Amino acid sequence: MAQIKNIGIFTSGGDSPGMNAAIRAVVRTAIFYDLEVTGIRRGFEGLIKGDMFTMNRKSVSNIIQRGGTILKTARSEEFKTTEGRKEAYEQVKKFNIDALIAIGGDGTFKGAKVFGEEFDIPVIGLPGTIDNDLCGTDFTIGYDTAINTVVDAVDKIRDTAESHDRLFIVEVMGKDSGMIALRTGIAAGAEAILIPETNSDLNSVFDRLEKGRKDKASKIVMLAEDGEVGGAFEVGRQIKEKFPNYDTRVSILGHIQRGGKPSCMDRVLASRVGVAAVEALRNGRKGEMIGLIHNEIAYTPFEKATKHHTEVNPNFLKIVEILSI
Ligand code: F6P
């Protein structure tokens, strides 16, 4: 096993609150172990273009509390090509990088896996996405902050919904995962939740509205984006058609969910997995994502981590049904 002297670090895909805390943890841990760190800007794009710089203790000062990513991020089409990855490897050699730490979601890990195997370079991944859709970690970095942002927004929507006796369809992010909708639906007291994992259709919502208390002033239907039922406007249209008396409105929360100061939980998670990532490379590990399972550090091969987990705790949906009577 060749000794690692210089670790390259980058963030890729959609940003998430806590990525900066993870970068800080990696840089400081590497310095603690007398290793060098090369920061790579804009994920795989920076790797291809050689947009890199040496990081030191000060490069990560005063960032643990900041949202976004100081290394910037991108979704790279070029890296999906053999040519693009060859160019990236040339830069890796030029900057004397011996190993990489990639912070991102499933797209990032798919690219990291191919690159690591193609050029025999150790790569470790850290789960940075608000979607919480990766296998091998109970929570991803950014998820906790994002769900708190959503709950805060829905509480505000509830105030106005209550004043006007309105029904709101609130659409949240998650790509093809309903993890954000599910947890925030419970926390914000939603009357119904629509998520892709359960293939929930609108009949379940109609049913709930029909059977539910008629004297309830406000109602919230929490909807995960990209589900088969359609977007918030389509769901709103269909509810209005079925219940013409409801005064319905739509609110799509959008990218507000990706910003903001990371929560304490996200900072601690990012710090723990960041330290573990450097230690994993020092111990000869590669091709794995580091997460937390039952509060313990867990190593999951990239190919398993990227298998979208569709397991939804059935109790969660039952809780919504019981509590929204
Ligand atoms: O993966 C994070 C995420 O915010 C998803 O929830 C969402 O579908 C997607 O990224 C949006 O991506 P973009 O910012 O590129 O539009």
Side-chain angles (χ1 to χ4, degrees):
M1 179 176 79
Q3 215 205 332
I4 291 168
K5 296 195 198 82
N6 183 353
I7 297 174
I9 177 170
F10 62 90
T11 49
S12 163
D15 61 352
S16 69
M19 279 184 161
N20 281 330
I23 296 166
R24 171 182 178 268
V26 167
V27 171
R28 295 260 163 104
T29 309
I31 292 167
F32 180 85
Y33 288 117
D34 285 328
L35 304 175
E36 285 168 36
V37 189
T38 302
I40 301 157
R41 293 190 189 90
R42 295 182 182 81
F44 295 125
E45 289 288 312
L47 208 54
I48 293 170
K49 294 196 175 90
D51 189 1
M52 312 185 194
F53 64 104
T54 301
M55 298 186 83
N56 56 34
R57 195 184 54 78
K58 276 188 91 176
S59 351
V60 291
S61 285
N62 205 21
I63 66 164
I64 193 168
Q65 76 282 19
R66 282 168 57 190
T69 159
I70 58 159
L71 289 177
K72 297 190 175 274
T73 185
R75 301 188 196 274
S76 173
E77 284 306 311
E78 209 181 342
F79 197 77
K80 290 183 184 155
T81 67
T82 314
E83 268 318 299
R85 290 194 299 275
K86 266 191 197 148
E87 279 178 45
Y89 184 60
E90 289 310 312
Q91 298 297 339
V92 162
K93 281 197 295 188
K94 189 170 146 197
F95 283 84
N96 295 316
I97 293 171
D98 312 300
L100 290 166
I101 293 180
I103 308 172
D106 53 355
T108 305
F109 298 153
K110 280 176 188 151
K113 175 178 153 56
V114 174
F115 190 67
E117 288 173 0
E118 234 165 25
F119 301 102
D120 194 23
I121 172 159
V123 190
I124 286 289
L126 296 182
T129 166
I130 62 163
D131 298 338
N132 203 32
D133 59 347
L134 297 166
C135 281
T137 190
D138 291 339
F139 299 108
T140 52
I141 300 165
Y143 176 63
D144 183 63
T145 308
I147 57 179
N148 279 296
T149 300
V150 171
V151 169
D152 189 45
V154 180
D155 287 350
K156 288 174 176 145
I157 289 171
R158 180 71 83 174
D159 288 345
T160 172
E162 189 78 8
S163 307
H164 287 264
D165 297 334
R166 279 178 175 159
L167 178 148
F168 269 80
I169 297 104
V170 181
E171 185 181 302
V172 295
M173 280 187 168
K175 213 159 49 195
D176 44 9
S177 157
M179 292 296 153
I180 295 179
L182 189 60
R183 225 164 247 271
T184 59
I186 292 177
E191 275 62 38
I193 300 178
L194 288 162
I195 53 171
E197 287 86 344
T198 56
N199 291 323
S200 35
D201 60 28
L202 270 178
N203 288 324
S204 61
V205 177
F206 295 159
D207 197 44
R208 190 71 55 78
L209 295 176
E210 238 145 27
K211 289 190 188 136
R213 254 176 39 213
K214 299 286 173 289
D215 59 342
K216 239 183 174 182
S218 65
K219 293 187 170 60
I220 303 284
V221 174
M222 193 65 83
L223 170 74
E225 66 175 352
D226 287 346
E228 276 182 18
V229 283
F233 285 102
E234 174 55 20
V235 170
R237 192 191 61 74
Q238 290 198 41
I239 290 179
K240 187 76 191 163
E241 206 173 270
K242 182 96 179 156
F243 301 94
N245 291 339
Y246 278 136
D247 191 7
T248 59
R249 291 290 185 277
V250 162
S251 191
I252 299 175
L253 297 188
H255 286 78
I256 191 172
Q257 295 163 87
R258 289 236 298 261
K261 277 162 95 78
S263 66
C264 175
M265 191 159 147
D266 274 327
R267 296 182 203 189
V268 174
L269 168 64
S271 302
R272 288 182 70 186
V273 294
V275 171
V278 176
E279 291 179 341
L281 285 173
R282 275 169 48 87
N283 293 331
R285 302 193 80 110
K286 59 180 178 177
E288 293 171 320
M289 180 196 84
I290 300 188
L292 282 190
I293 298 179
H294 299 142
N295 209 20
E296 297 288 338
I297 293 291
Y299 307 89
T300 305
F302 284 141
E303 61 270 23
K304 198 167 163 221
T306 51
K307 281 214 175 82
H308 176 54
H309 70 84
T310 51
E311 270 173 46
V312 167
N313 187 336
N315 291 336
F316 275 38
L317 291 168
K318 187 73 191 163
I319 286 169
V320 176
E321 195 184 333
I322 295 172
L323 299 185
S324 67
I325 55 170

